[in-house]
Amino acid sequence: MSSPSLEALSAELAVLRPRMDAVSLAIHARPELKFAEFHAQQVLTRWLAEAGFTVTAPAGGLDTAFVAVHEGSRPGPYVAVLAEYDALPGVGHGCGHNLIAAGAAAAAIAVARALPAHPGTVAVIGTPGEEMGGAGKVRLAAAGVFDGVDAAVMFHPGDRWLTGRPGLAAAHLRVAFGGVSAHASVSPWKGRSALAAAQLFLAAVDAMRQFVPPTARLHGIVTEGGKAPNVVPARAVVDLYVRDRTAVSARDLVERVRRAAEGAALATGTEAEVSETGPLYAERRNNAVLAERFGDAVRALGVDIAPLDPDSPAGSSDIGNLSQRMPVIHPYVQIAEAGTPAHSEAMREAAATPLAHDRAQVAATGLAEVVAELLTEPWVLAAARAEFEAESEKGEVPV
Ligand SMILES: [Zn+2]
Ligand SMILES: [Zn+2]
């Protein structure tokens, strides 16, 4: 055991396990898309209130957000455990956020029970709308919900144990083309096809691929492409994500994508309008000090967790923006066979299994240990802060 509190926290988590499973499975069974997570908010806040946390819901101007706070016996650090609980269209909880949410609440409650006289504040912050560019954490931060928070921790389900991996910066674009409708056979020359513009635009994006950094990701879907084959489409819409290792590079790519849209419009006699459907997700800065504290805790519980892998393939999350404001960790917890893709039916099924809940219990114990150390061992927060400040000084300012 890496600290005297780990044993006590493990015991609390074992007691909390049945409720953790019930909350997780209730959320899993009723998948709710970004900013409509009312049921998840209710089951989580009810549990936290029963456990003695002071609940504020809604919070930060978001109907489905919440802040649940357990004040300690004296002043000290403010540590937040983050709960995500939104699902995906089509695949429900294919990202396993039911486990994040129930595990976050369990971790915080375990700390409050094992260390009832702890200094400082332990909070669960319910951050809705992580998927689909919802940027819930960015919106909550802008509303001041994270003011005064010294560190934020969460875990994420996946197909392997990792103390952390990079997250790309991501811009969420909508490119709308406006043309002129006409009969597609009687008088097509009177029309201008917005769909032709969208096709040309996507071809231009493909032509760019060799000339963007190897770390960039440009990917989109056609969300509108006309209404009927016999009508020249007057409107076509492409939703596209532009990602790269830094927000600075992503912004640069957004400008090139914008010019590709304008070029496609020029060629087809249409108009292009490029907008962002949500805030830019900044790149993730994993706090190595806290990631290793989590690693040590779960290793002491028998898990063979790999250290931070800077070269791991990556998605994006609004945790990136928070990681520019304070030390954060976002370790990965294996709940499915290696190779199981995220955002899939297979991951959704895995997220409801007893194995996934065994692993979530271990991960929640690890988070609880990190929170307990941040509250009670001053060197941990001091070291995390020193690393954060050193990184901030050398990093480019992203958004
Ligand atoms: Zn996720
Ligand atoms: Zn996801």
Side-chain angles (χ1 to χ4, degrees), residues 31-34 86-94 131-132 343 345:
E32 299 166 303
L33 298 185
K34 64 173 177 180
D86 57 334
L88 290 155
V91 288
H93 276 290
E131 302 286 3
M132 301 160 68
H343 290 193
E345 282 82 1

Side-chain angles (χ1 to χ4, degrees), residues 95 97 130-131 156 343:
C95 209
H97 291 186
E130 186 275 330
E131 302 286 3
H156 199 293
H343 290 193

Side-chain angles (χ1 to χ4, degrees), residues 239-305:
D239 280 0
L240 187 92
Y241 288 2
V242 175
R243 315 196 205 210
D244 201 3
R245 284 224 163 151
T246 66
V248 172
S249 175
R251 278 267 168 251
D252 179 59
L253 291 166
V254 166
E255 281 318 300
R256 292 170 66 185
V257 166
R258 186 187 301 278
R259 289 198 290 276
E262 286 162 2
L266 196 62
T268 52
T270 61
E271 301 281 339
E273 193 187 303
V274 181
S275 58
E276 296 191 37
T277 54
L280 184 132
Y281 281 11
E283 66 267 31
R284 186 178 316 166
R285 217 184 253 167
N286 292 285
N287 191 274
V289 168
L290 298 184
E292 260 317 291
R293 299 314 304 148
F294 178 84
D296 277 1
V298 299
R299 281 182 201 111
L301 297 167
V303 172
D304 183 18
I305 190 167

Side-chain angles (χ1 to χ4, degrees), residues 102-160:
I109 294 169
V111 173
R113 286 191 178 178
L115 305 168
H118 66 79
T121 304
V122 52
V124 179
I125 300 185
T127 63
E130 186 275 330
E131 302 286 3
M132 301 160 68
K137 294 179 196 66
V138 185
R139 298 172 200 276
L140 293 178
V145 168
F146 288 96
D147 292 358
V149 177
D150 290 295
V153 302
M154 63 175 288
F155 70 83
H156 199 293
D159 71 333
R160 70 201 68 189

